[in-house]
Amino acid sequence: MSDQQTAAHVAERAETRWAWVVGIVIATLLCMMAYMSLHWITMPPQRMETVNPGTLHLAGEFVEANLGSAAEADGSVTVRLVGNQYSFSPQCVLVPVDTPVTIRATSADVVHGFSVTHTNINVNLVPGYVSTFRARFRETGEHTMPCHEFCGVGHAAMWAHVKVVDKETFARQAQSKRRLSCAERS
Ligand code: CUA
């Protein structure tokens, strides 16, 4: 084999090898897309729960007196909150550490964002729908809770807090009040 033929042979082998690599990468990505599409297509209907945004304050689960954190009989905590232009109710969410927490939230007007910094809690609050999220806070401390969806001129000022306290502190407060928050006015 001449030098030229050898070089051509080496180049061809390298090209074939890289063609396989690219082919495998593309096939992997297509499989991931197919899997996620099939997996996610079943999720929105399962989670869909509607509520009338016009009567939130009048009756039902999201009346003002029912907002905040509730200790459940099974030891978990349910947090109910409402987003509206331009604040959350309650403005400070109180939860115990290392406890299963179910967050149930909705919007009274437009679409708001609900996220808790340094956690994976990130959901949109859409008027007419209840957003549900399960979480567990591993450490005590404070988190900020900004609205991350542009919702009008006051959007940048729309944010609240999450305060994670030890279980005993939470249980003590839960004995004297049905719904807890750490907002000043409550
Ligand atoms: Cu509410 Cu941005």
Side-chain angles (χ1 to χ4, degrees), residues 1-16:
M1 249 194 279
S2 71
D3 281 358
Q4 213 171 11
Q5 274 176 324
T6 312
H9 186 65
V10 168
E12 193 185 316
R13 272 176 50 190
E15 278 176 12
T16 308

mmCIF file with all atom_site columns, all heavy atoms in Angstrom, residues 1-16:
data_model
loop_
_atom_site.group_PDB
_atom_site.id
_atom_site.type_symbol
_atom_site.label_atom_id
_atom_site.label_alt_id
_atom_site.label_comp_id
_atom_site.label_asym_id
_atom_site.label_entity_id
_atom_site.label_seq_id
_atom_site.pdbx_PDB_ins_code
_atom_site.Cartn_x
_atom_site.Cartn_y
_atom_site.Cartn_z
_atom_site.occupancy
_atom_site.B_iso_or_equiv
_atom_site.pdbx_formal_charge
_atom_site.auth_seq_id
_atom_site.auth_comp_id
_atom_site.auth_asym_id
_atom_site.auth_atom_id
_atom_site.pdbx_PDB_model_num
ATOM 1   N N   . MET A 1 1  ? 0.842   -1.216 0.000  1.00 0.00 ? 1  MET A N   1
ATOM 2   C CA  . MET A 1 1  ? 0.000   0.000  0.000  1.00 0.00 ? 1  MET A CA  1
ATOM 3   C C   . MET A 1 1  ? 0.870   1.256  0.000  1.00 0.00 ? 1  MET A C   1
ATOM 4   O O   . MET A 1 1  ? 1.850   1.300  0.755  1.00 0.00 ? 1  MET A O   1
ATOM 5   C CB  . MET A 1 1  ? -0.885  0.007  1.234  1.00 0.00 ? 1  MET A CB  1
ATOM 6   C CG  . MET A 1 1  ? -2.340  -0.195 0.860  1.00 0.00 ? 1  MET A CG  1
ATOM 7   S SD  . MET A 1 1  ? -3.444  0.185  2.201  1.00 0.00 ? 1  MET A SD  1
ATOM 8   C CE  . MET A 1 1  ? -3.389  -1.283 3.185  1.00 0.00 ? 1  MET A CE  1
ATOM 9   N N   . SER A 1 2  ? 0.557   2.186  -0.835 1.00 0.00 ? 2  SER A N   1
ATOM 10  C CA  . SER A 1 2  ? 1.344   3.416  -0.859 1.00 0.00 ? 2  SER A CA  1
ATOM 11  C C   . SER A 1 2  ? 0.965   4.261  0.360  1.00 0.00 ? 2  SER A C   1
ATOM 12  O O   . SER A 1 2  ? -0.040  3.999  1.028  1.00 0.00 ? 2  SER A O   1
ATOM 13  C CB  . SER A 1 2  ? 1.050   4.208  -2.137 1.00 0.00 ? 2  SER A CB  1
ATOM 14  O OG  . SER A 1 2  ? -0.257  4.742  -2.043 1.00 0.00 ? 2  SER A OG  1
ATOM 15  N N   . ASP A 1 3  ? 1.803   5.257  0.622  1.00 0.00 ? 3  ASP A N   1
ATOM 16  C CA  . ASP A 1 3  ? 1.535   6.160  1.752  1.00 0.00 ? 3  ASP A CA  1
ATOM 17  C C   . ASP A 1 3  ? 0.170   6.834  1.616  1.00 0.00 ? 3  ASP A C   1
ATOM 18  O O   . ASP A 1 3  ? -0.567  7.003  2.591  1.00 0.00 ? 3  ASP A O   1
ATOM 19  C CB  . ASP A 1 3  ? 2.630   7.235  1.836  1.00 0.00 ? 3  ASP A CB  1
ATOM 20  C CG  . ASP A 1 3  ? 3.872   6.647  2.500  1.00 0.00 ? 3  ASP A CG  1
ATOM 21  O OD1 . ASP A 1 3  ? 3.811   5.459  2.893  1.00 0.00 ? 3  ASP A OD1 1
ATOM 22  O OD2 . ASP A 1 3  ? 4.879   7.373  2.622  1.00 0.00 ? 3  ASP A OD2 1
ATOM 23  N N   . GLN A 1 4  ? -0.142  7.176  0.355  1.00 0.00 ? 4  GLN A N   1
ATOM 24  C CA  . GLN A 1 4  ? -1.407  7.874  0.112  1.00 0.00 ? 4  GLN A CA  1
ATOM 25  C C   . GLN A 1 4  ? -2.613  6.984  0.434  1.00 0.00 ? 4  GLN A C   1
ATOM 26  O O   . GLN A 1 4  ? -3.577  7.404  1.071  1.00 0.00 ? 4  GLN A O   1
ATOM 27  C CB  . GLN A 1 4  ? -1.460  8.275  -1.361 1.00 0.00 ? 4  GLN A CB  1
ATOM 28  C CG  . GLN A 1 4  ? -2.202  9.573  -1.566 1.00 0.00 ? 4  GLN A CG  1
ATOM 29  C CD  . GLN A 1 4  ? -2.054  10.050 -3.014 1.00 0.00 ? 4  GLN A CD  1
ATOM 30  O OE1 . GLN A 1 4  ? -1.583  9.304  -3.877 1.00 0.00 ? 4  GLN A OE1 1
ATOM 31  N NE2 . GLN A 1 4  ? -2.428  11.283 -3.262 1.00 0.00 ? 4  GLN A NE2 1
ATOM 32  N N   . GLN A 1 5  ? -2.469  5.706  0.031  1.00 0.00 ? 5  GLN A N   1
ATOM 33  C CA  . GLN A 1 5  ? -3.562  4.758  0.293  1.00 0.00 ? 5  GLN A CA  1
ATOM 34  C C   . GLN A 1 5  ? -3.737  4.526  1.787  1.00 0.00 ? 5  GLN A C   1
ATOM 35  O O   . GLN A 1 5  ? -4.854  4.462  2.297  1.00 0.00 ? 5  GLN A O   1
ATOM 36  C CB  . GLN A 1 5  ? -3.268  3.430  -0.406 1.00 0.00 ? 5  GLN A CB  1
ATOM 37  C CG  . GLN A 1 5  ? -3.740  3.427  -1.863 1.00 0.00 ? 5  GLN A CG  1
ATOM 38  C CD  . GLN A 1 5  ? -3.336  2.129  -2.547 1.00 0.00 ? 5  GLN A CD  1
ATOM 39  O OE1 . GLN A 1 5  ? -2.253  1.597  -2.273 1.00 0.00 ? 5  GLN A OE1 1
ATOM 40  N NE2 . GLN A 1 5  ? -4.170  1.634  -3.429 1.00 0.00 ? 5  GLN A NE2 1
ATOM 41  N N   . THR A 1 6  ? -2.576  4.411  2.487  1.00 0.00 ? 6  THR A N   1
ATOM 42  C CA  . THR A 1 6  ? -2.635  4.201  3.936  1.00 0.00 ? 6  THR A CA  1
ATOM 43  C C   . THR A 1 6  ? -3.335  5.375  4.621  1.00 0.00 ? 6  THR A C   1
ATOM 44  O O   . THR A 1 6  ? -4.194  5.186  5.486  1.00 0.00 ? 6  THR A O   1
ATOM 45  C CB  . THR A 1 6  ? -1.205  4.051  4.504  1.00 0.00 ? 6  THR A CB  1
ATOM 46  O OG1 . THR A 1 6  ? -0.500  3.125  3.697  1.00 0.00 ? 6  THR A OG1 1
ATOM 47  C CG2 . THR A 1 6  ? -1.252  3.549  5.935  1.00 0.00 ? 6  THR A CG2 1
ATOM 48  N N   . ALA A 1 7  ? -2.963  6.592  4.220  1.00 0.00 ? 7  ALA A N   1
ATOM 49  C CA  . ALA A 1 7  ? -3.576  7.790  4.810  1.00 0.00 ? 7  ALA A CA  1
ATOM 50  C C   . ALA A 1 7  ? -5.082  7.807  4.557  1.00 0.00 ? 7  ALA A C   1
ATOM 51  O O   . ALA A 1 7  ? -5.886  8.107  5.450  1.00 0.00 ? 7  ALA A O   1
ATOM 52  C CB  . ALA A 1 7  ? -2.926  9.046  4.238  1.00 0.00 ? 7  ALA A CB  1
ATOM 53  N N   . ALA A 1 8  ? -5.469  7.435  3.352  1.00 0.00 ? 8  ALA A N   1
ATOM 54  C CA  . ALA A 1 8  ? -6.901  7.426  3.007  1.00 0.00 ? 8  ALA A CA  1
ATOM 55  C C   . ALA A 1 8  ? -7.636  6.397  3.851  1.00 0.00 ? 8  ALA A C   1
ATOM 56  O O   . ALA A 1 8  ? -8.745  6.630  4.323  1.00 0.00 ? 8  ALA A O   1
ATOM 57  C CB  . ALA A 1 8  ? -7.057  7.132  1.517  1.00 0.00 ? 8  ALA A CB  1
ATOM 58  N N   . HIS A 1 9  ? -6.976  5.256  4.080  1.00 0.00 ? 9  HIS A N   1
ATOM 59  C CA  . HIS A 1 9  ? -7.586  4.189  4.866  1.00 0.00 ? 9  HIS A CA  1
ATOM 60  C C   . HIS A 1 9  ? -7.783  4.622  6.320  1.00 0.00 ? 9  HIS A C   1
ATOM 61  O O   . HIS A 1 9  ? -8.856  4.412  6.902  1.00 0.00 ? 9  HIS A O   1
ATOM 62  C CB  . HIS A 1 9  ? -6.669  2.959  4.780  1.00 0.00 ? 9  HIS A CB  1
ATOM 63  C CG  . HIS A 1 9  ? -7.252  1.763  5.436  1.00 0.00 ? 9  HIS A CG  1
ATOM 64  N ND1 . HIS A 1 9  ? -8.398  1.149  4.978  1.00 0.00 ? 9  HIS A ND1 1
ATOM 65  C CD2 . HIS A 1 9  ? -6.856  1.060  6.540  1.00 0.00 ? 9  HIS A CD2 1
ATOM 66  C CE1 . HIS A 1 9  ? -8.676  0.125  5.753  1.00 0.00 ? 9  HIS A CE1 1
ATOM 67  N NE2 . HIS A 1 9  ? -7.754  0.048  6.723  1.00 0.00 ? 9  HIS A NE2 1
ATOM 68  N N   . VAL A 1 10 ? -6.774  5.280  6.890  1.00 0.00 ? 10 VAL A N   1
ATOM 69  C CA  . VAL A 1 10 ? -6.846  5.769  8.277  1.00 0.00 ? 10 VAL A CA  1
ATOM 70  C C   . VAL A 1 10 ? -7.965  6.803  8.395  1.00 0.00 ? 10 VAL A C   1
ATOM 71  O O   . VAL A 1 10 ? -8.784  6.774  9.323  1.00 0.00 ? 10 VAL A O   1
ATOM 72  C CB  . VAL A 1 10 ? -5.481  6.357  8.707  1.00 0.00 ? 10 VAL A CB  1
ATOM 73  C CG1 . VAL A 1 10 ? -5.621  7.126  10.014 1.00 0.00 ? 10 VAL A CG1 1
ATOM 74  C CG2 . VAL A 1 10 ? -4.450  5.255  8.836  1.00 0.00 ? 10 VAL A CG2 1
ATOM 75  N N   . ALA A 1 11 ? -8.016  7.701  7.415  1.00 0.00 ? 11 ALA A N   1
ATOM 76  C CA  . ALA A 1 11 ? -9.044  8.758  7.448  1.00 0.00 ? 11 ALA A CA  1
ATOM 77  C C   . ALA A 1 11 ? -10.439 8.145  7.370  1.00 0.00 ? 11 ALA A C   1
ATOM 78  O O   . ALA A 1 11 ? -11.355 8.551  8.092  1.00 0.00 ? 11 ALA A O   1
ATOM 79  C CB  . ALA A 1 11 ? -8.821  9.731  6.285  1.00 0.00 ? 11 ALA A CB  1
ATOM 80  N N   . GLU A 1 12 ? -10.571 7.129  6.547  1.00 0.00 ? 12 GLU A N   1
ATOM 81  C CA  . GLU A 1 12 ? -11.883 6.515  6.383  1.00 0.00 ? 12 GLU A CA  1
ATOM 82  C C   . GLU A 1 12 ? -12.329 5.839  7.674  1.00 0.00 ? 12 GLU A C   1
ATOM 83  O O   . GLU A 1 12 ? -13.487 5.963  8.088  1.00 0.00 ? 12 GLU A O   1
ATOM 84  C CB  . GLU A 1 12 ? -11.813 5.490  5.252  1.00 0.00 ? 12 GLU A CB  1
ATOM 85  C CG  . GLU A 1 12 ? -13.184 5.037  4.789  1.00 0.00 ? 12 GLU A CG  1
ATOM 86  C CD  . GLU A 1 12 ? -13.072 3.938  3.748  1.00 0.00 ? 12 GLU A CD  1
ATOM 87  O OE1 . GLU A 1 12 ? -12.233 4.064  2.845  1.00 0.00 ? 12 GLU A OE1 1
ATOM 88  O OE2 . GLU A 1 12 ? -13.824 2.962  3.870  1.00 0.00 ? 12 GLU A OE2 1
ATOM 89  N N   . ARG A 1 13 ? -11.392 5.177  8.320  1.00 0.00 ? 13 ARG A N   1
ATOM 90  C CA  . ARG A 1 13 ? -11.741 4.513  9.574  1.00 0.00 ? 13 ARG A CA  1
ATOM 91  C C   . ARG A 1 13 ? -12.140 5.517  10.648 1.00 0.00 ? 13 ARG A C   1
ATOM 92  O O   . ARG A 1 13 ? -13.098 5.317  11.396 1.00 0.00 ? 13 ARG A O   1
ATOM 93  C CB  . ARG A 1 13 ? -10.562 3.662  10.055 1.00 0.00 ? 13 ARG A CB  1
ATOM 94  C CG  . ARG A 1 13 ? -10.623 2.257  9.457  1.00 0.00 ? 13 ARG A CG  1
ATOM 95  C CD  . ARG A 1 13 ? -9.444  1.409  9.812  1.00 0.00 ? 13 ARG A CD  1
ATOM 96  N NE  . ARG A 1 13 ? -9.161  1.404  11.254 1.00 0.00 ? 13 ARG A NE  1
ATOM 97  C CZ  . ARG A 1 13 ? -8.055  0.874  11.768 1.00 0.00 ? 13 ARG A CZ  1
ATOM 98  N NH1 . ARG A 1 13 ? -7.148  0.347  10.978 1.00 0.00 ? 13 ARG A NH1 1
ATOM 99  N NH2 . ARG A 1 13 ? -7.857  0.907  13.068 1.00 0.00 ? 13 ARG A NH2 1
ATOM 100 N N   . ALA A 1 14 ? -11.390 6.630  10.705 1.00 0.00 ? 14 ALA A N   1
ATOM 101 C CA  . ALA A 1 14 ? -11.720 7.671  11.694 1.00 0.00 ? 14 ALA A CA  1
ATOM 102 C C   . ALA A 1 14 ? -13.094 8.261  11.401 1.00 0.00 ? 14 ALA A C   1
ATOM 103 O O   . ALA A 1 14 ? -13.903 8.478  12.314 1.00 0.00 ? 14 ALA A O   1
ATOM 104 C CB  . ALA A 1 14 ? -10.652 8.767  11.655 1.00 0.00 ? 14 ALA A CB  1
ATOM 105 N N   . GLU A 1 15 ? -13.374 8.478  10.141 1.00 0.00 ? 15 GLU A N   1
ATOM 106 C CA  . GLU A 1 15 ? -14.684 9.041  9.773  1.00 0.00 ? 15 GLU A CA  1
ATOM 107 C C   . GLU A 1 15 ? -15.813 8.094  10.137 1.00 0.00 ? 15 GLU A C   1
ATOM 108 O O   . GLU A 1 15 ? -16.851 8.513  10.663 1.00 0.00 ? 15 GLU A O   1
ATOM 109 C CB  . GLU A 1 15 ? -14.715 9.356  8.274  1.00 0.00 ? 15 GLU A CB  1
ATOM 110 C CG  . GLU A 1 15 ? -14.074 10.690 7.940  1.00 0.00 ? 15 GLU A CG  1
ATOM 111 C CD  . GLU A 1 15 ? -14.024 10.943 6.441  1.00 0.00 ? 15 GLU A CD  1
ATOM 112 O OE1 . GLU A 1 15 ? -14.690 10.198 5.680  1.00 0.00 ? 15 GLU A OE1 1
ATOM 113 O OE2 . GLU A 1 15 ? -13.322 11.882 6.044  1.00 0.00 ? 15 GLU A OE2 1
ATOM 114 N N   . THR A 1 16 ? -15.602 6.820  9.865  1.00 0.00 ? 16 THR A N   1
ATOM 115 C CA  . THR A 1 16 ? -16.640 5.826  10.190 1.00 0.00 ? 16 THR A CA  1
ATOM 116 C C   . THR A 1 16 ? -16.882 5.803  11.694 1.00 0.00 ? 16 THR A C   1
ATOM 117 O O   . THR A 1 16 ? -18.020 5.779  12.165 1.00 0.00 ? 16 THR A O   1
ATOM 118 C CB  . THR A 1 16 ? -16.189 4.429  9.709  1.00 0.00 ? 16 THR A CB  1
ATOM 119 O OG1 . THR A 1 16 ? -15.811 4.534  8.346  1.00 0.00 ? 16 THR A OG1 1
ATOM 120 C CG2 . THR A 1 16 ? -17.316 3.424  9.847  1.00 0.00 ? 16 THR A CG2 1
#
